[in-house]
Amino acid sequence: MSDPTSLTLAEARDAVRSKSLSSRELTEAHVAAVAAARPLNAFITETPERALAMADAADARIARGEAGPLEGLPLGIKDLYCTEGVRTTAGSRILDSFVPGYESTVSSQLWRDGAVMLGKLNLDEFAMGSSNETSYHGPAVSPWRRPGSETALVPGGSSGGSAAAVAARLCLGATATDTGGSIRQPAAFTGTVGIKPTYGRCSRWGVVAFASSLDQAGPITRTVRDAAILLRSMAGHDPKDSTSVDLAVPDYEAEVGASVAGKTIGIPRQYRIDGMPAEIDALWAEGVAWLKAAGARIVDIELPHTRYALPAYYIVAPAEASSNLARYDGVRYGLRVPGRDIAEMYGNTRAAGFGPEVRRRIMIGTYVLSAGYYDAYYLKAQKIRTLVRQDFERAFADGVDAILTPATPSAAFAIGEKGGDDPIAMYLNDAFTVTVNLAGLPGIAVPAGLSADKLPLGLQLIGRPFDEGTLFSLAEVIERSAPKTELPSDWWSATAPTR
């Protein structure tokens, strides 16, 4: 086989199972690709020796007829998932030397099913960001470029390393997390598929926390089928996570290609935001046409509290972050910067260990939880969150099976182009995605076309709770109908920042 990295996860699975390709050969090809693509800065930690050992063990199991669902398939792991014996940094200086003595539930399930770990992927610090520019290890870089330009583009965030690595074919798939759009937005920016499952579908145990009531694990892959395969291994009840739901995990792959005839798709008027580019609106209309041609019924719906979702999210999420990140004090693990007393040591450690965006969100969160402001900000944001959830519940009660929206308000932008002195400009990237997290619903981003600058654009499908299967069947229609968003073959020649 000329280039094993050109295979999708499903194709590689079938090749390894049929023994036309060994896991060792597949893994060696991806290890070499990771090393060659270091200018993308997609990986924080590479684990080639471990990957090859895992590949050899997978080949031995295949020879014995004991292959698991992901046997011998090389994956990347977002560096928010604790991996036993492998550095886990959360993209932060404060955890730069942290080596967990335990494995996250999700990653342990991947190894249970035979997957191979290539390494740990870059991300915004503590998953706080929409461009992967807040990482202590430097920004991950998208393999995409505007035609005729060598300007480095962001891969989205916070799961930017995951999206960049999958798009560049450095791994067959990657784990990611989504707190306000951090799976779906990077997927849309890089022409990949990303699904945020229903809250509670995947265990959060062993995943470094940002905002506990919003965080959810999920995969980024090259195709809808690949995402269905990977999610089945990632999902499942975990008694160690009190928010994990005890529901059987369906065969998601069986839903890919299923008929969508008769499904009712809602189109929310409130997602037509002021200043939305015409090409995003046109893409949305094309998505409607593709689903309608496949037999779906299209209806207009109202989600009236959508306009309040973004400000509510940027109160709730920082409030939870300020509580979760209080544990990083220099006492138990991670960075410690000495001081004259313990209070000064706390302050020195946190000032040195956290980057500007994390410090900003801790300060916002502490403020909105403080006496005199809790009712005015945090309590009001939680009430808005309830109203947002009720909007979706009414739509689904009226017979809507899924909701179609744009995934992002624009294509990828250049590194350093947004955020600088106005963090709100960066926060607006989450305009179409945060409602899904506030309501705890599943959402998938699927490639749907190219912008005028020949960069990927995606559409988002939002589903009923725990109905990821319907999303996979609908997303496959869009994937099949849309023009292909293949990464140009000469992307390697484009220049990119080095580590």
Side-chain angles (χ1 to χ4, degrees):
M1 189 170 291
S2 58
D3 182 11
T5 66
S6 67
L7 299 173
T8 66
L9 185 145
E11 291 168 345
R13 175 196 62 183
D14 295 344
V16 170
R17 282 182 178 176
S18 68
K19 301 182 182 179
S20 61
L21 178 69
S22 70
S23 176
R24 176 82 185 198
E25 292 167 329
L26 183 65
T27 302
E28 284 177 339
H30 283 90
V31 165
V34 169
R38 284 178 186 146
L40 295 183
N41 201 25
F43 282 82
I44 290 174
T45 302
E46 298 172 22
T47 57
E49 295 85 4
R50 177 178 289 223
L52 293 173
M54 293 175 82
D56 289 340
D59 284 332
R61 286 190 293 271
I62 292 168
R64 295 195 301 267
E66 301 172 358
L70 301 176
E71 201 67 62
L73 305 182
L75 305 175
I77 304 297
K78 183 176 180 177
D79 203 24
L80 208 62
Y81 291 75
C82 289
T83 43
E84 185 176 3
V86 178
R87 184 173 68 140
T88 299
T89 74
S92 180
R93 184 186 177 196
I94 208 161
L95 287 178
D96 194 41
S97 60
F98 175 57
V99 178
Y102 54 92
E103 190 80 27
S104 78
T105 296
V106 167
S107 56
S108 70
Q109 290 173 179
L110 298 177
W111 315 146
R112 173 203 67 195
D113 286 353
V116 169
M117 183 171 72
L118 291 167
K120 306 297 291 294
L121 292 159
N122 205 347
L123 70 156
D124 282 296
E125 185 179 7
F126 283 102
M128 299 182 196
S130 301
S131 63
N132 215 139
E133 293 176 278
T134 71
S135 173
Y136 172 66
H137 304 278
V141 181
S142 173
W144 287 85
R145 295 290 183 274
R146 299 184 181 107
S149 172
E150 294 185 350
T151 300
L153 303 177
V154 302
S158 66
S159 307
S162 300
V166 172
R169 299 171 188 154
L170 309 185
C171 54
L172 293 173
T175 66
T177 61
D178 193 311
T179 306
S182 290
I183 290 175
R184 292 158 288 151
Q185 184 249 26
F189 274 10
T190 57
T192 55
V193 175
I195 182 166
K196 173 221 164 297
T198 310
Y199 184 78
R201 175 60 90 181
C202 295
S203 173
R204 293 184 299 107
W205 194 87
V207 180
V208 178
F210 165 11
S212 300
S213 75
L214 301 166
D215 297 343
Q216 186 56 203
I220 293 179
T221 60
R222 284 175 53 198
T223 70
V224 173
R225 182 175 298 277
D226 290 355
I229 294 168
L230 202 48
L231 181 59
R232 190 177 188 191
S233 288
M234 294 175 68
H237 178 243
D238 178 11
K240 296 193 293 292
D241 176 3
S242 63
T243 64
S244 174
V245 177
D246 191 3
L247 286 177
V249 179
D251 181 0
Y252 294 125
E253 188 179 5
E255 299 289 340
V256 178
S259 173
V260 301
K263 297 289 186 185
T264 299
I265 308 301
I267 308 300
R269 178 176 59 84
Q270 288 77 12
Y271 278 65
R272 286 191 167 86
I273 60 176
D274 292 339
M276 187 166 73
E279 64 184 5
I280 300 293
D281 199 36
L283 185 79
W284 195 4
E286 282 190 293
V288 169
W290 294 330
L291 292 174
K292 191 173 184 179
R297 173 173 168 260
I298 308 299
V299 298
D300 291 326
I301 63 171
E302 297 291 323
L303 299 174
H305 296 96
T306 297
R307 62 181 294 190
Y308 305 112
L310 196 65
Y313 170 85
Y314 276 102
I315 291 173
V316 173
E320 295 188 13
S322 71
S323 176
N324 278 326
L325 271 63
R327 71 193 69 180
Y328 304 111
D329 52 15
V331 174
R332 287 161 288 186
Y333 42 75
L335 180 71
R336 175 183 293 184
V337 179
R340 288 170 296 182
D341 54 32
I342 193 168
E344 187 173 271
M345 185 270 286
Y346 285 166
N348 291 348
T349 297
R350 291 168 68 81
F354 293 137
E357 181 61 28
V358 173
R359 293 199 299 268
R360 178 186 292 118
R361 297 200 194 193
I362 289 173
M363 292 174 68
I364 291 171
T366 303
Y367 177 81
V368 301
L369 291 176
S370 60
Y373 299 101
Y374 180 91
D375 289 350
Y377 293 102
Y378 184 73
L379 188 60
K380 188 175 291 185
Q382 290 288 19
K383 290 178 179 178
I384 291 171
R385 181 179 188 174
T386 298
L387 294 172
V388 168
R389 188 186 71 249
Q390 290 173 345
D391 286 348
F392 284 108
E393 288 172 348
R394 276 190 290 271
F396 293 134
D398 289 341
V400 169
D401 294 297
I403 297 165
L404 179 70
T405 77
T408 59
S410 70
F413 46 89
I415 291 175
E417 184 178 320
K418 292 188 179 183
D421 296 328
D422 181 15
I424 294 175
M426 188 70 76
Y427 297 167
L428 290 173
N429 278 283
D430 300 330
F432 297 138
T433 54
V434 296
T435 54
V436 178
N437 300 81
L438 290 173
L441 298 173
I444 189 170
V446 60
L450 295 174
S451 70
D453 287 335
K454 305 300 181 187
L455 297 176
L457 296 172
L459 290 172
Q460 174 181 227
L461 287 155
I462 304 167
R464 295 169 178 262
F466 300 102
D467 191 17
E468 290 85 0
T470 294
L471 295 187
F472 284 124
S473 60
L474 292 165
E476 191 273 338
V477 171
I478 294 174
E479 181 180 60
R480 174 166 29 94
S481 305
K484 301 306 176 189
T485 54
E486 288 292 326
L487 187 66
S489 59
D490 62 348
W491 75 266
W492 291 94
S493 64
T495 59
T498 56
R499 296 183 84 164

